[in-house]
Amino acid sequence: MTRTPHLTSDGAACCWIPLFPLRCETARQPELASLPVALVGPDDTRRVWQVSPLARHAGVKPGMTVSQAIGLCPALKLCEPDPVHYDAQFSRLLAALGQVSPVIEPAELGLAYIGTDGLEGLYGAPEKIVEAIKRGMRNAERGTDGEGPLACSAFPLSRSAFRVGWGRGKFVSWVAATRARPGEAVIVLVGGEAKFLAAQPLAALPLDSDTHRRLRQLGVRTLGALAALPEEAVVSQFGRAGRRLWRLAAGRIAERVVGRVAPEPIVAALMFFTAVGERELLVHALDQLIERALRDPRRSGWRVQVVRARAELEHGASWLVEATLKDPSADRERIAAPLKTQLERSPPAGAVERLVVEFTAFAPGTAELQLFARDAHAAARAGRRRALRTAAQEIKLRLKRSLLYHVIEVQPWSRLPERRYALIDFDT
């Protein structure tokens, strides 16, 4: 792996698809379009996560318990989340946007920023750049790039789902996207940021509920009203966060788009012969997959910074968790700990048929870590393992089949002896 500097851009376009996971479900099941639909939460299946317009008109709101939502709307259609599918579709969207600009910053599912610096030479005025972005998304929907097939498959969302905003900095482009009609774009030309932002509601700012309440009590309803206050007065009331909010409202901050370098992930997968629902077995499988991924030669000299686990469940559902390690590590227990915590907190909603562990981001290993990994005990263990492998190969060559196996614990709590342990070939 090599370290590549991040690309940055002051010019920004924002591509936003509201209710992205719910739209993905509707695209997979077109019959849902005419029904009140709610998507339950991936972390808490007892609560509603996203709500369709028909369900919202019936009084259902995100965050409600499922029982409350059904009480308000008995015809409500509940859908279990499929985060692996949503993640795959969003990756295809990013691939389509990557055909337009090399600087892409994903923010959340359905929201991405596109760096536009230097694109004038390719496309021309901002209107032409925005049209290229919209054309790229339409091509992604069809699965073509005009001359040949795109690397991604067809993007299964309606063209009217996305909204595009263009401006200087991420905040301006984001607010512009929220003002755009479905399938359309709003362009804020350089120099017109303050005038555009002045009429926008206060909720456009990244406010916590307490700050929002206090500002409304002061009679501040729009970004223009906030920007009209003296900056130091806002700082005296709200501190350092107040200064940032004031400058965002006044159009004084242009947050740069930071392109993400996506290294090739290291993947380890396990397919279960029968679907598994026991949490202890899933924990054991996570440990084995992390250990296998750590042995990948591409990881040599690198520590793991981001790890994710995903599972394919019975009946076509899925489960996905991701953890960013505060201190990158090459230790199995430290890597597995946050995944096990999330597994305990929000387990899969069904039995697991396939489990996958991915290392998606890395940090360079230090000299101390490399020396620690090559201490005398590790060298001795490696030597013994090499000797055993050589002996196993000789036996296999002589007898034409393998007779050496590992005995591993599978379900030590089972009452059936044959289910407590399993045999796997020694050389695998």
Side-chain angles (χ1 to χ4, degrees), residues 348-367:
V352 177
E353 294 181 336
R354 185 170 182 263
L355 185 64
V356 181
V357 167
E358 295 178 322
F359 298 159
T360 59
F362 305 86
T366 64

Side-chain angles (χ1 to χ4, degrees), residues 78-141:
L78 293 173
C79 295
E80 291 187 358
D82 190 353
V84 173
H85 174 69
Y86 312 147
D87 188 70
Q89 297 304 322
F90 190 50
S91 297
R92 291 175 178 140
L93 168 62
L94 297 179
L97 295 176
Q99 302 284 330
V100 180
S101 170
V103 185
I104 305 295
E105 180 180 345
E108 60 185 47
L109 282 176
L111 176 63
Y113 296 100
I114 305 101
T116 60
D117 286 350
L119 296 186
E120 297 86 353
L122 291 174
Y123 303 106
E127 293 81 3
K128 299 292 185 181
I129 297 174
V130 168
E131 192 56 41
I133 293 171
K134 293 165 63 177
R135 184 168 59 249
M137 295 192 66
R138 289 194 292 267
N139 289 339
E141 179 193 11

Side-chain angles (χ1 to χ4, degrees), residues 11 83 85 117 157-158 161 168 210 246 280 335 352 354 371 379 382:
H85 174 69
D117 286 350
L157 296 180
S158 168
R168 181 173 173 268
D210 181 61
W246 186 90
E280 293 84 354
I335 296 171
V352 177
R354 185 170 182 263
L371 288 173

